[in-house]
Amino acid sequence: MLRWKKEKQGTTALLIEGARRVGKTTLVKDFAEKEYKSYIFIDFSVIDKETDFLFENMMNLDKFFIRLQTLFGVTLYKRESLIIFDEVQNKPLARQAIKHLVKDGRYDYIETGSLISIKKNVQNIVIPSEEHSETLYPMDLEEFYWAVGNTTTPRQLSEVFQMKTPMGQAVHRRWMYDLRLYMLVGGMPQAVEAYIKHNNLQAVDEVKREILQLYFNDFRHIDSTGRAARLFAAVPSQLNTNASRYQIGSVIENQTAERVADVVAGLEDSKTVLMSYNVTDPNVGMNMSRSLYSYKMFLADTGLFVTLAFWDKDFTENVIYKKLLSDKLEANLGYVYENLVAQMLRSSGNQLYYHTFPTGKGNTNYEIDFLLSRGNKLVPIEVKSSGYKTHKSLDVFCEKYSSRVGGRILLYTKDYASDGQTVCVPVYFTPFL
């Protein structure tokens, strides 16, 4: 945000997209208070009639700004003030007006929104090209440490990763415990705040259930038939099947990936899910060979994922909390780690891709969980929720595409090690890959 303010100098608006309750409003308000002489905050989810009417006719910007300052009781200063359009998807005309407001150049503009790209919200307006878009993700592991008052461990993790050496069981166990706690609490600010305030995972779970229920309500705007909600709710069970892709037909009868493409696009736009696409020809330009109808779906926040996986159970019955904290997670719950890795990779700026290929034995396939592009080489990643260092898929993939591979990584729950050409990396190092 500071870089946008300094480099753009009012030539573009900043659009911050993100899931509901991810902290967009709090972040923008804090930024406004610290970086500007004054600001006006317009919340389009609860806008009054007078303010709403201002955006119906903006031919005279001088009059518009005078009325705006009067209604909000705020004085705006040229090139020293910020105007915030919060939940801008609820007022398409305000988003369209960004083009003219930016061209006018008097003030800076930040928009925040969820479900920004729903067609019914933008079909009758011209989407401004004068927008610089950024996505706000849930708090990552480093930010979680900061929130609980630990500024030492993030620096240590970075330093140790560069050393590429095991740290011993005492340190490793401590860092794995922290990671498992992060998996359970997640990175949604309200959930983290509940943990800090109450030091009680049941209180955290209640907050996460409220957020998930809010999402289910939002999904009606994506698809009134309920398909979006059903696809979202089935994410944990779909990952648990270990299928090579999301099986649409097993969730919604008589539906295919092609038929629900618009619904899935709406879910992706909502920022509540992360999409990982199967690539048919793994190479550095993976987007060119991704299959639009062969994908896996993850939740954008693993804390929410844990709660959703046991949605039908009371907290006291939710064995995953006890088992994760005590490091007794069964192998069949390893998909929680896969969701965590997806979240950590995406929030670090990586697009998500995977690759499946036949074993030559019946209809079974090898699978590379994640593929990263580094320079002109690929880095295949396999995720293990245990300490086992078996990596047949990695070995076969690297042999098949030897000229394209620049390294191979096994993410697992034990200390740093190497196994031949495969580097075995503790999962808490994922953000540094």
Side-chain angles (χ1 to χ4, degrees):
M1 294 172 74
L2 284 169
R3 187 166 58 246
W4 161 79
K5 182 176 185 287
K6 180 180 179 181
E7 295 178 358
K8 300 300 182 180
Q9 292 289 311
T11 58
T12 69
L14 177 61
L15 171 63
I16 298 181
E17 297 180 274
R20 292 280 295 277
R21 301 290 178 87
V22 80
K24 301 183 299 296
T25 300
T26 301
L27 177 67
V28 170
K29 280 187 172 181
D30 186 63
F31 181 71
E33 290 172 359
K34 291 179 178 178
E35 301 299 328
Y36 290 89
K37 188 173 181 178
S38 68
Y39 73 95
I40 288 177
F41 178 83
I42 306 173
D43 183 352
F44 286 109
S45 66
V46 291
I47 191 172
D48 57 67
K49 292 182 179 180
E50 291 82 0
T51 306
D52 188 47
F53 180 72
L54 289 181
F55 294 90
E56 299 300 321
N57 185 348
M58 300 184 62
M59 296 298 293
N60 188 327
L61 288 183
D62 290 334
K63 186 182 293 185
F64 170 80
F65 289 128
I66 289 174
R67 289 176 173 175
L68 192 64
Q69 292 174 86
T70 302
L71 286 172
F72 284 86
V74 174
T75 299
L76 295 173
Y77 303 90
K78 187 174 182 180
R79 302 304 318 134
E80 295 184 273
S81 294
L82 173 70
I83 299 176
I84 301 168
F85 292 168
D86 194 49
E87 300 294 350
V88 71
Q89 77 277 359
N90 292 317
K91 187 63 178 178
L93 286 177
R95 190 178 180 198
Q96 180 174 257
I98 284 293
K99 178 180 181 68
H100 307 290
L101 294 171
V102 167
K103 185 178 179 180
D104 173 74
R106 273 177 262 192
Y107 314 113
D108 283 353
Y109 301 89
I110 294 181
E111 306 162 271
T112 76
S114 308
L115 310 176
I116 285 289
S117 298
I118 296 177
K119 291 181 179 179
K120 72 182 185 67
N121 278 349
V122 298
Q123 62 183 358
N124 296 320
I125 72 168
V126 177
I127 301 297
S129 58
E130 295 77 9
E131 283 180 345
H132 173 75
S133 179
E134 295 283 355
T135 298
L136 180 62
Y137 296 100
M139 297 166 68
D140 61 22
L141 179 60
E142 181 181 31
E143 292 163 334
F144 180 76
Y145 272 122
W146 293 344
V148 299
N150 183 344
T151 59
T152 302
T153 301
R155 175 177 50 80
Q156 293 174 336
L157 284 169
S158 178
E159 293 173 353
V160 172
F161 178 76
Q162 298 301 322
M163 293 165 58
K164 303 187 185 305
T165 183
M167 287 302 293
Q169 287 306 304
V171 173
H172 173 72
R173 280 196 297 268
R174 178 70 253 181
W175 288 349
M176 280 302 303
Y177 178 87
D178 293 346
L179 181 71
R180 294 194 299 271
L181 179 62
Y182 171 65
M183 292 168 71
L184 292 175
V185 176
M188 300 301 286
Q190 285 181 300
V192 176
E193 184 179 39
Y195 170 72
I196 294 170
K197 182 177 181 180
H198 302 289
N199 194 29
N200 182 299
L201 290 176
Q202 182 169 355
V204 173
D205 192 68
E206 290 172 359
V207 169
K208 291 190 293 177
R209 287 176 183 270
E210 291 174 0
I211 295 173
L212 286 169
Q213 189 58 61
L214 178 68
Y215 288 175
F216 283 123
N217 293 337
D218 279 347
F219 294 151
R220 298 193 187 111
H221 299 296
I222 297 177
D223 179 72
S224 59
T225 66
R227 290 179 299 173
R230 291 172 66 182
L231 291 173
F232 179 85
V235 168
S237 62
Q238 283 290 307
L239 290 177
N240 187 38
T241 63
N242 289 319
S244 60
R245 63 177 179 174
Y246 194 111
Q247 302 290 326
I248 300 294
S250 67
V251 179
I252 307 176
E253 188 177 358
N254 298 322
Q255 294 289 297
T256 63
E258 292 86 346
R259 290 181 178 179
V260 299
D262 285 347
V263 179
V264 171
L267 280 173
E268 188 172 14
D269 287 338
S270 76
K271 310 300 180 184
T272 59
V273 301
L274 303 173
M275 304 297 296
S276 180
Y277 290 95
N278 189 10
V279 293
T280 56
D281 181 25
N283 214 327
V284 289
M286 286 183 283
N287 198 49
M288 294 187 293
S289 67
R290 69 169 183 165
S291 174
L292 293 177
Y293 302 122
S294 179
Y295 49 76
K296 291 188 175 184
M297 198 181 298
F298 302 94
L299 259 63
D301 180 73
T302 302
L304 294 180
F305 180 92
V306 169
T307 296
L308 184 62
F310 291 85
W311 184 254
D312 59 338
K313 293 183 179 294
D314 184 81
F315 171 80
T316 56
E317 301 176 274
N318 196 337
V319 296
I320 197 169
Y321 280 91
K322 298 176 183 178
K323 290 184 178 297
L324 256 178
L325 273 184
S326 61
D327 196 20
K328 295 180 180 179
L329 189 68
E330 291 96 337
N332 65 348
L333 292 177
Y335 56 88
V336 180
Y337 278 97
E338 190 176 353
N339 197 97
L340 174 69
V341 171
Q343 176 187 348
M344 296 172 94
L345 289 175
R346 190 68 191 93
S347 62
S348 298
N350 299 285
Q351 298 295 325
L352 302 181
Y353 300 101
Y354 70 101
H355 179 62
T356 61
F357 55 104
T359 63
K361 300 177 181 179
N363 294 323
T364 59
N365 288 322
Y366 289 122
E367 181 174 309
I368 301 300
D369 294 319
F370 298 98
L371 282 170
L372 301 182
S373 177
R374 295 291 182 264
N376 62 349
K377 296 291 185 178
L378 292 176
V379 178
I381 296 175
E382 189 169 343
V383 180
K384 296 284 187 182
S385 61
S386 64
Y388 294 110
K389 295 190 291 185
T390 56
H391 40 76
K392 182 66 174 178
S393 295
L394 277 177
D395 295 339
V396 176
F397 177 87
C398 292
E399 181 179 356
K400 183 177 182 180
Y401 299 104
S402 57
S403 63
R404 306 179 185 181
V405 173
R408 59 182 78 174
I409 294 174
L410 178 76
L411 287 174
Y412 74 151
T413 58
K414 298 300 181 182
D415 205 352
Y416 194 97
S418 61
D419 186 24
Q421 293 178 290
T422 301
V423 181
C424 303
V425 179
V427 68
Y428 47 71
F429 283 137
T430 303
F432 306 108
L433 297 178

